[in-house]
Amino acid sequence: MHSEGLILFFLAGIVMVGMGVLLSSLLSPKKQNDVKEEAFECGIPTEGPSWLQFKVGYYLFAILFLIFDVETVFIFPWATVMKEMGMVAFIEILIFFVILGLGLIYAWKKDALKWE
Amino acid sequence: METTIFYIISAIILVFSVLTVTTTKILRAAVYLLFTLVATAAFYFMMEYNFLAAVQLTVYAGGIVVLIIFSILLTHQINLDLKKINSIKKITSGLVSLFGFILIGNIIYTHTFKATSSVIADTSVNEIGRTLLNYGDGGYILPFEVISVLLLAAMIGAIIIAKKK
């Protein structure tokens, strides 16, 4: 653990973000009114709460995303040794992809990727 | 220095864990849970379990929390405040937590941690990749390919359940 680098990283982050906020608050002209405080939504007055109920259709996409997310986890270690292991590693990952590709084809055929 | 970082991360985990269970807005609870999971990943990075940390970030922070937030957004009671918990529930859950704390604390303090002189297992991503793709002795190529079949089964199962009319 290189703590000097970490401290420097945090300091740089604090300075870069903090100076931006500080300078803009010092330099900007301040004239507040109610209209400026409103949330901007295409110029139309906002209506209702922002936490709305979503369409159920999103959920299937979330699950499919999660599965391919887990797949990427297993590609990380493969990618680091790909060059070293050569053709064998390539064929192994190809089998891995083909099996998962079947899942994608299945989803496609079953219209799971279609928006309803 | 490392001890300081450890305590800072621990403080973040503790604060957000408590906030997760005490907040009355359910969507905020999910976001506090996200912070707790990310801080746990920081622990893994501290111990140089880089692969585990990457998994924690992509699968838990990136995947599971997204799924939880989606589940919350699918319900129509997002804006409702959760009911205040009555005092009997507070006392019983407090007692249960205290019992768990005593049990785990007791186990940790009675266990003598010995420093080992044997070689620590290599947990770098490189080594994991080499072992995972090795088809010889001590290799894990079969489990690696079986994982893809498992993921395929999960995907097909999800589609069948979701598409059932």
Side-chain angles (χ1 to χ4, degrees), chain A residues 1 3 6-7 49 51-60 62-74 76-78 80-81 84-85 88-89 91-93 95-96 99-100 102-104 106-107 110-112 114 116, chain B residues 1-2 5 25 27-28 45-46 48 51 54-55 58-59 62-64 66-67 70-71 73-76 78-79 125-130 132-135 141 144-145 147-149 151-152 154-156 158-160 162-163 165:
Chain A
M1 195 110 198
S3 38
L6 199 68
I7 294 169
W51 288 356
L52 293 170
Q53 188 181 354
F54 273 41
K55 253 181 85 90
V56 186
Y58 283 110
Y59 198 71
L60 187 59
I63 287 177
L64 289 179
F65 159 72
L66 191 68
I67 286 161
F68 285 106
D69 200 35
V70 175
E71 183 196 345
T72 53
V73 163
F74 292 99
F76 285 143
W78 165 78
T80 58
V81 292
E84 180 188 316
M85 293 185 75
V88 178
I91 291 167
E92 282 168 356
I93 203 74
I95 299 168
F96 190 80
I99 295 172
L100 272 162
L102 289 176
L104 190 62
Y106 181 81
K110 286 278 169 185
D111 286 340
K114 216 175 250 172
E116 284 164 17
Chain B
M1 184 64 210
E2 224 175 302
I5 298 173
K25 295 272 188 199
L27 201 59
R28 282 194 189 142
F45 275 122
M46 268 186 85
E48 295 188 355
F51 182 65
V55 172
T58 52
V59 177
I64 303 284
V66 166
L67 213 58
F70 265 109
S71 321
L73 289 176
L74 291 176
T75 63
H76 54 91
I78 319 158
N79 286 305
V125 185
N126 245 318
E127 186 53 36
I128 290 170
R130 220 168 282 133
L132 208 56
L133 296 175
N134 186 9
Y135 54 87
I141 183 61
F144 179 68
E145 301 295 358
I147 285 164
S148 66
V149 178
L151 289 175
L152 179 68
M155 202 181 325
I156 291 174
I159 292 166
I160 286 173
K163 284 273 147 188
K165 290 276 147 56

Side-chain angles (χ1 to χ4, degrees), chain B residues 64-105:
Chain B
I64 303 284
V65 170
V66 166
L67 213 58
I68 291 174
I69 288 176
F70 265 109
S71 321
I72 294 168
L73 289 176
L74 291 176
T75 63
H76 54 91
Q77 294 164 329
I78 319 158
N79 286 305
L80 294 184
D81 279 1
L82 297 175
K83 275 188 229 125
K84 283 266 175 273
I85 311 145
N86 60 30
S87 49
I88 301 163
K89 269 186 186 166
K90 267 184 191 162
I91 292 166
T92 45
S93 51
L95 280 175
V96 169
S97 312
L98 191 69
F99 178 72
F101 182 73
I102 291 169
L103 185 73
I104 293 166

